[in-house]
Amino acid sequence: MKSIKKVDFFIWAIIAVGIIICGFALYKLPYNQLDIRFVFLASFTIVFASRLSLKMPRSEIHFLMSDSLIFLVLLIYGGEAAILLASAEAISFSIKVKRQGVTMRPVVIFCNGALMACATAGAYLALTLYPKMTGRVPDFNNSTELIALVGVMVLAQFVTNTVLVAICESLRSGVSVWQSWNEKLIGASITSIVGGIVAGITYKLIEYFDFFAFVIVGLIITLVYFTYRGYISELQKSMEQAEQAEHERLEAERRRVEEAQVHINELSRHIAEQDRISEALRQSKERFQHAAMHDALTSLPNRTFFFEQIKFLLERSRHNLNYGFCVLFMDLDRFKNINDSLGHAIGDKLLVKVARRLERAVRQGDTVARLGGDEFALVLTEIKDVDGAMAFARRINEAISQPFKIDGHQVFTAPSIGIAIGSTEYETPEEILRDADIAMYDAKENKTGCALFDRELRIRTVNIIKLETDLRYAVEKEQFVIYYQPIISLESGYLSGFEALIRWQHPERGMISPAEFIPIAESNGQIVPMTNWILSEACGQLSRWRWRSALNRSLIISVNLSSKHFTQPDLVNQVKITLEETGLDPRCLKLELTESAVMENAKAATEALHSLRQLGVQLSIDDFGTGYSSLSYLHKFPIDTLKIDRSFISRMGENGENTEIVRTILTLAENLGLDVIAEGVETVDQLEKLRQYGCRYAQGFLFAKPMPVSEIDEKMKTQQCWLPPGVASLPFGIPALSATGRLFAIPKNLKGLKPQA
């Protein structure tokens, strides 16, 4: 229903534009130049020309004489006369077609007239602009110039006409304008070209001969044409009658043959029926056997078949120690994203195409199986060394990484492959498949494409499992501590806030880096309660610091959020409760999130971020510039601050590398009204460059490393300026991050106080 309304609106819009064009043409029509020749051409075009058509063989395209006459009028009498004639001819032709039984609404008749007026106006406009584009006055008497003018006129008329029709078709059918134009209308260019050619030739003939002689010849040609059409019509009828008679004869012969065949078929039917029943029973038995050992979607062997194959190979390797084989376990990266974005039907077709590529990649004697979902397994026989297995895995990785074309989509995926070499140490198929699975996850985690299972990987896996177990009890046993890294104003050198960073004081291993346990916490969901604890502790600590001194009122605390939080429906409520319990002003809390965390669940993230912003909390993009959509969400999400990733800052001093990137980010932030914090500042040279480019805030080892609360307390008592020795503050007062994330000066009544932070 919506598409019909859009089409109707577009039709009325074309009619309105056509009326305006015709009205303007009527107003500008050079009446004093019109003569009896124009009256004849116009009358002939409207009454007879549309009937004079030739059909292109094996197509639905017709060459109409009316197209040539309209172009001829345009060349002789100007664009205004041609516009009015084209509109009148289109309306006349539409009325004739409607009388012949074609269903056509009155509005469509007028739309056709308006459409031809627009198309002819486009041709006239192109003809008018030609002198301005070429710098030459058109000379119709010059054959070369005439060809160019006709070409421009034909191209403009064709483009205007077909584009308007393509837009209307797109609104009606829902396909793109380009697809409508390319599939249905581009072939019509031949009619415009032929019309232009005939018009150009006719113009030159009139130039050499008298117009009325040309008219007489035209009438004779018209008479011959109608006579020819009548002759062709009679001939076609005769041929159709002959074909019908031959068809009836052949049909009668066929019926006689069929009747004779029926008797023969009846005699053999009973024997064939018995054979069919026997064959059906045999095929049914084979199908049941195949279904029990093969995957229904891809027709590959299933887990049962695969385990039987490994059992056989394990037994063979025990009797022949020189026999070697390996197992490859493979799954597809980002397959869930393909299912979620393109649909499960596309996902299933992708799995089938992957199965076919795997079958082509392996050798005779190897086995490819689908274990379920996007998981595949391969058994490679006659593999005696690690290098051969790795080389084969890389070839498979390259083959699967090539794009797939599915239902008009170009789908990309990449496999992660784990390799386990068969040996007498394995007792069951489950054991070797388990180790290949472990290697696959190692390849996925390190983004290497393929990985080999070895003793070191086994030890690392066991340690990860143990670490994951210990992590579950770390919160209960109060093994986590929070370190705070100061955020410094580069103008004054004074403290602006802190970033809260978690550390794990393991009872056996000592202090464990977040890089080691945060990915585990994110994978098993413990990151959510862990971050809630960090949020509560950090907000409470900042609240205590703020009330120690009036100069601390502007301090902020930054806490990192994981992508897992955006799947929690109570995220905003949890933040609100924490702020109420700790008594912290919401404007003093800044939540940091990475680009990947935002885009992993963009819809949920958008809603949560706007709700947090309404609560008064500030929002910051961490590691800015390292994600894949840095610019696309800056206008969409209510961001206050960008944190330039330390990878850009660390290489600023190396021959100016990354300097332009940092400068561009600062310029972008300034234009968007965002604050910028530079992470990982470690040298005075980096500090000076950041100051030079207008960066106001930074954090890094140059100022202070992350410290526990006790060390922060001592430094806040004794240290005023956090800039390194020898670096002076800029003469801009003592700026700090305000509760709104903007710079403000210390109030006048506090300027006499000695700042503590």
Side-chain angles (χ1 to χ4, degrees):
M1 184 61 70
K2 291 183 178 179
S3 63
I4 295 176
K5 290 183 179 179
K6 290 180 180 179
V7 171
D8 288 343
F9 177 80
F10 185 73
I11 288 175
W12 281 110
I14 291 178
I15 292 175
V17 173
I19 291 174
I20 294 173
I21 292 174
C22 289
F24 184 79
L26 192 62
Y27 174 73
K28 289 288 187 177
L29 185 67
Y31 295 96
N32 58 337
Q33 296 180 11
L34 303 181
D35 53 16
I36 188 64
R37 296 184 301 171
F38 172 76
V39 174
F40 175 79
L41 281 175
S43 302
F44 186 81
T45 301
I46 295 172
V47 177
F48 296 106
S50 59
R51 300 173 181 268
L52 303 179
S53 64
L54 290 176
K55 182 180 178 183
M56 182 182 292
R58 299 183 181 180
S59 74
E60 295 300 323
I61 298 176
H62 290 75
F63 299 110
L64 300 177
M65 181 175 286
S66 56
D67 294 340
S68 302
L69 294 178
I70 291 171
F71 284 137
L72 183 62
V73 169
L74 179 59
L75 293 172
I76 297 176
Y77 296 100
E80 294 84 357
I83 290 171
L84 295 174
L85 179 59
S87 178
E89 189 278 332
I91 293 174
S92 173
F93 181 73
S94 299
I95 293 173
K96 184 192 73 172
V97 171
K98 181 177 176 63
R99 289 176 177 175
Q100 292 176 351
V102 177
T103 303
M104 185 181 301
R105 294 185 297 163
V107 68
V108 176
I109 296 175
F110 290 104
C111 178
N112 289 336
L115 193 64
M116 285 303 299
C118 294
T120 308
Y124 180 47
L125 180 61
L127 208 59
T128 305
L129 295 176
Y130 180 81
K132 298 180 179 180
M133 293 187 294
T134 61
R136 299 193 305 269
V137 177
D139 183 7
F140 289 174
N141 294 325
N142 187 315
S143 298
T144 303
E145 191 77 18
L146 180 62
I147 292 173
L149 291 169
V150 170
V152 170
M153 179 177 64
V154 167
L155 180 61
Q157 192 259 11
F158 167 71
V159 170
T160 306
N161 188 14
T162 55
V163 167
L164 291 175
V165 175
I167 293 174
C168 186
E169 178 65 19
S170 175
L171 294 174
R172 184 187 64 80
S173 61
V175 301
S176 66
V177 175
W178 168 252
Q179 185 176 351
S180 297
W181 188 84
N182 188 45
E183 292 180 355
K184 299 182 178 181
L185 300 174
I186 190 172
S189 61
I190 187 66
T191 62
S192 297
I193 294 173
V194 171
I197 292 173
V198 173
I201 293 173
T202 304
Y203 182 84
K204 296 300 291 183
L205 289 175
I206 293 175
E207 183 180 294
Y208 286 110
F209 300 101
D210 181 73
F211 177 81
F212 290 102
F214 170 76
V215 169
I216 292 172
V217 173
L219 291 175
I220 293 173
I221 292 174
T222 302
L223 180 61
V224 171
Y225 171 80
F226 280 113
T227 304
Y228 169 76
R229 287 286 297 270
Y231 170 74
I232 292 298
S233 177
E234 291 296 328
L235 182 60
Q236 185 175 1
K237 288 180 181 180
S238 299
M239 293 177 63
E240 289 176 353
Q241 291 174 356
E243 289 177 357
Q244 180 65 23
E246 181 65 17
H247 176 74
E248 292 175 354
R249 186 187 66 80
L250 293 175
E251 183 66 20
E253 185 67 24
R254 185 187 61 81
R255 284 197 297 268
R256 286 194 296 269
V257 173
E258 287 180 351
E259 290 172 358
Q261 190 67 34
V262 167
H263 296 287
I264 299 174
N265 292 340
E266 284 293 328
L267 295 176
S268 59
R269 186 176 62 83
H270 296 290
I271 298 174
E273 183 67 17
Q274 295 300 319
D275 292 340
R276 187 190 63 80
I277 293 173
S278 299
E279 180 65 17
L281 290 174
R282 184 186 64 80
Q283 291 179 358
S284 178
K285 181 180 178 180
E286 291 178 353
R287 282 197 299 270
F288 278 117
Q289 290 176 343
H290 186 275
M293 304 294 285
H294 289 78
D295 173 56
L297 176 64
T298 63
S299 297
L300 291 176
N302 59 13
R303 184 182 294 268
T304 303
F305 186 101
F306 190 73
F307 279 0
E308 290 296 327
Q309 182 72 2
I310 296 178
K311 284 181 182 179
F312 170 77
L313 294 176
L314 286 173
E315 188 66 25
R316 183 175 179 180
S317 63
R318 293 188 187 100
H319 291 84
N320 183 5
L321 297 179
N322 292 325
Y323 182 79
F325 75 96
C326 69
V327 172
L328 276 60
F329 188 91
M330 184 191 91
D331 83 344
L332 303 177
D333 298 341
R334 301 181 302 278
F335 180 72
K336 183 179 182 298
N337 293 343
I338 295 173
N339 265 342
D340 293 342
S341 59
L342 300 179
H344 289 273
I346 298 294
D348 288 345
K349 293 180 180 180
L350 174 61
L351 293 175
V352 173
K353 287 182 175 290
V354 168
R356 301 292 82 82
R357 285 192 184 180
L358 289 175
E359 287 178 327
R360 291 193 294 269
V362 298
R363 306 156 303 174
Q364 186 176 5
D366 298 336
T367 302
V368 181
R370 181 187 177 214
L371 305 185
D374 61 329
E375 295 178 344
F376 295 84
L378 297 87
V379 174
L380 306 180
T381 58
E382 303 296 336
I383 294 291
K384 298 181 180 180
D385 54 27
V386 172
D387 293 338
M390 290 294 292
F392 202 97
R394 292 190 186 98
R395 287 200 299 271
I396 292 176
N397 191 303
E398 183 178 354
I400 303 302
S401 299
Q402 299 302 313
F404 295 85
K405 291 184 179 180
I406 305 174
D407 293 350
H409 300 279
Q410 195 170 33
V411 181
F412 290 86
T413 187
S416 293
I417 303 174
I419 307 170
I421 304 296
S423 69
T424 55
E425 295 180 2
Y426 292 111
E427 296 291 336
T428 65
E430 289 80 3
E431 292 176 357
I432 189 171
L433 189 63
R434 174 204 62 201
D435 289 350
D437 191 6
I438 292 172
M440 183 274 293
Y441 276 105
D442 182 70
K444 185 182 293 290
E445 180 180 351
N446 296 314
K447 296 180 173 57
T448 57
C450 53
L452 178 70
F453 183 85
D454 53 18
R455 194 173 300 277
E456 181 182 347
L457 182 57
R458 185 191 299 273
I459 295 172
R460 188 161 69 247
T461 303
V462 171
N463 290 337
I464 290 175
I465 294 174
K466 186 178 184 304
L467 193 66
E468 183 176 357
T469 303
D470 294 343
L471 188 62
R472 295 184 181 277
Y473 302 100
V475 176
E476 299 176 8
K477 296 180 180 180
E478 298 181 351
Q479 296 174 358
F480 289 122
V481 293
I482 299 180
Y483 277 42
Y484 298 88
Q485 184 170 34
I487 300 173
I488 309 302
S489 167
L490 297 185
E491 295 176 339
S492 66
Y494 284 88
L495 188 64
S496 297
F498 302 93
E499 180 178 2
L501 303 169
I502 191 170
R503 299 290 186 269
W504 184 6
Q505 186 65 48
H506 195 277
E508 299 175 1
R509 299 178 53 184
M511 194 68 74
I512 299 179
S513 168
E516 189 172 352
F517 66 85
I518 289 296
I520 299 176
E522 288 186 336
S523 65
N524 62 18
Q526 288 182 280
I527 191 67
V528 174
M530 185 186 300
T531 304
N532 291 339
W533 177 81
I534 299 171
L535 187 65
S536 178
E537 291 292 316
C539 289
Q541 183 59 52
L542 182 65
S543 184
R544 290 188 289 272
W545 277 331
R546 292 181 72 240
W547 288 108
R548 289 183 185 178
S549 169
L551 294 179
N552 292 350
R553 298 291 190 271
S554 62
L555 294 180
I556 62 167
I557 189 73
S558 295
V559 178
N560 291 280
L561 285 185
S562 165
S563 61
K564 302 293 183 183
H565 285 83
F566 295 114
T567 63
Q568 304 297 316
D570 62 340
L571 169 62
V572 179
N573 189 49
Q574 181 66 40
V575 173
K576 182 178 180 182
I577 292 174
T578 301
L579 293 171
E580 292 175 351
E581 291 178 348
T582 59
L584 184 67
D585 188 334
R587 295 173 296 176
C588 295
L589 173 62
K590 180 173 291 187
L591 298 177
E592 296 187 7
L593 47 149
T594 62
E595 299 171 87
S596 58
V598 173
M599 301 311 297
E600 187 172 323
N601 194 341
K603 182 178 180 181
T606 303
E607 297 175 357
L609 293 180
H610 281 284
S611 298
L612 289 170
R613 185 61 180 273
Q614 292 176 359
L615 195 62
V617 174
Q618 297 188 57
L619 301 171
S620 173
I621 294 296
D622 196 13
D623 301 335
F624 182 78
T626 61
Y628 52 85
S629 57
S630 305
L631 301 179
S632 63
Y633 57 71
L634 291 183
H635 289 290
K636 183 178 180 181
F637 299 136
I639 305 301
D640 299 286
T641 306
L642 303 179
K643 297 190 75 173
I644 304 177
D645 185 66
R646 66 181 65 249
S647 63
F648 297 122
I649 303 301
S650 64
R651 293 196 294 270
M652 282 180 61
E654 301 175 7
N655 300 321
E657 185 179 359
N658 284 332
T659 299
E660 289 302 321
I661 296 178
V662 173
R663 189 188 309 213
T664 301
I665 294 175
L666 289 167
T667 302
L668 173 67
E670 181 179 1
N671 293 336
L672 296 176
L674 304 177
D675 286 322
V676 177
I677 300 176
E679 293 184 294
V681 179
E682 298 182 355
T683 67
V684 174
D685 182 58
Q686 294 170 359
L687 169 62
E688 295 298 341
K689 279 191 168 89
L690 289 171
R691 275 181 159 186
Q692 178 185 348
Y693 301 151
C695 183
R696 294 177 173 176
Y697 306 100
Q699 64 186 89
F701 284 8
L702 181 65
F703 313 109
K705 64 180 181 180
M707 297 176 287
V709 173
S710 58
E711 293 186 25
I712 293 289
D713 286 338
E714 290 299 321
K715 285 188 174 289
M716 290 176 69
K717 291 177 183 178
T718 60
Q719 187 167 340
Q720 301 175 12
C721 181
W722 292 70
L723 296 176
V727 179
S729 60
L730 299 178
F732 295 133
I734 308 176
L737 277 176
S738 71
T740 60
R742 300 290 179 264
L743 290 173
F744 70 100
I746 292 180
K748 293 181 180 180
N749 59 344
L750 297 179
K751 286 187 177 179
L753 297 178
K754 187 175 182 179
Q756 300 297 316

